[in-house]
Amino acid sequence: MLPSVQTIRDSGSTELVVGPNAWLVTLTPSGYGSIVKVQKSAGEYSGLPEPELRFDIARCTT
């Protein structure tokens, strides 16, 4: 489970804001599965390291 997730659905894709505006994850369906785009916010947030975030997102998309 990811901590503090806000979900926004827009134009066929889903955006997840993880942590207090720490990460923006965009999930877009494609013919081969999902396209996952991850962006870190400009602010510093050490509550969720990137490797853990990638693992949690990968588990959700398979």
Side-chain angles (χ1 to χ4, degrees), residues 36-59:
V36 179
K37 180 179 176 185
V38 179
Q39 296 174 302
K40 186 172 181 169
S41 71
E44 183 62 32
Y45 176 69
S46 59
L48 185 63
E50 183 179 356
E52 182 180 333
L53 174 73
R54 288 179 182 270
F55 178 78
D56 289 342
I57 294 298
R59 281 189 3 203

